[in-house]
Amino acid sequence: FLDAASTLVSLNPDLESTESSQNTTSTISSDQVIAQTFLQGQKLFNDKQYDEALKTIEPLKEMLDHANDGFKAKFYGNLAVILSAKGNYDEAIQNYQIAIKFNQAPESLLAGLFVNLGIALRKKSRFQEAFQVFQTGLSLKNINDSIKQKLWFHMALLYAP
């Protein structure tokens, strides 16, 4: 995640072609279906076809039951990015908050979610909440300098006229 409405994080899980030893034809795993569907949504997002991107990836929610926390966080974070791009900040905020609850996700991913959540809160003039979100992101230990700079930059924007 770089900024809300600018970048989707790849949801590509580790893909493995599953082939039954009794059957020589390969089958498509649910991970592959999720990855392929997400890639279609990502292309639509990159082409600024936000409604179509949303329609493409929203059905994946039903397939997330057995996914790990990192994958779930990426899914809800990306859903929120699309909603932010459409200007649906209230829904985006809800989805960023859902994504952050998957606290077993890598800290670098969580930090990006905090950046985007703070941006969405700022756009809704919820400045105090945005400040707290940026502070929480900065309190994470294993984040890179680029994410730290984004958190500080967007925190500073809270004070801009």
Side-chain angles (χ1 to χ4, degrees), residues 64 103 158:
L64 295 178
N103 58 7
L158 296 172

Side-chain angles (χ1 to χ4, degrees), residues 10-21:
S10 176
L11 282 182
N12 262 347
D14 296 323
L15 299 179
E16 296 178 11
S17 177
T18 57
E19 188 171 324
S20 168
S21 58

Side-chain angles (χ1 to χ4, degrees), residues 48-134:
K48 299 188 184 327
Q49 296 179 33
Y50 305 128
D51 289 329
E52 291 302 313
L54 199 56
K55 286 178 194 171
T56 300
I57 72 163
E58 269 191 324
L60 295 179
K61 272 187 204 179
E62 297 172 16
M63 301 176 81
L64 295 178
D65 289 342
H66 302 292
N68 65 43
D69 279 2
F71 191 85
K72 289 176 185 176
K74 287 178 185 180
F75 172 80
Y76 284 102
N78 284 313
L79 187 60
V81 167
I82 295 169
L83 291 164
S84 289
K86 290 176 45 91
N88 296 349
Y89 297 112
D90 290 325
E91 275 186 87
I93 289 166
Q94 290 173 353
N95 280 279
Y96 285 129
Q97 290 170 333
I98 291 169
I100 288 168
K101 287 182 182 176
F102 296 107
N103 58 7
Q104 296 302 311
E107 281 195 344
S108 59
L109 172 61
L110 290 173
L113 292 168
F114 284 118
V115 170
N116 288 346
L117 174 57
I119 291 168
L121 288 165
R122 188 186 76 226
K123 291 193 181 235
K124 293 296 292 182
S125 300
R126 293 166 59 179
F127 303 118
Q128 190 168 8
E129 289 173 85
F131 181 82
Q132 291 170 343
V133 164
F134 293 135

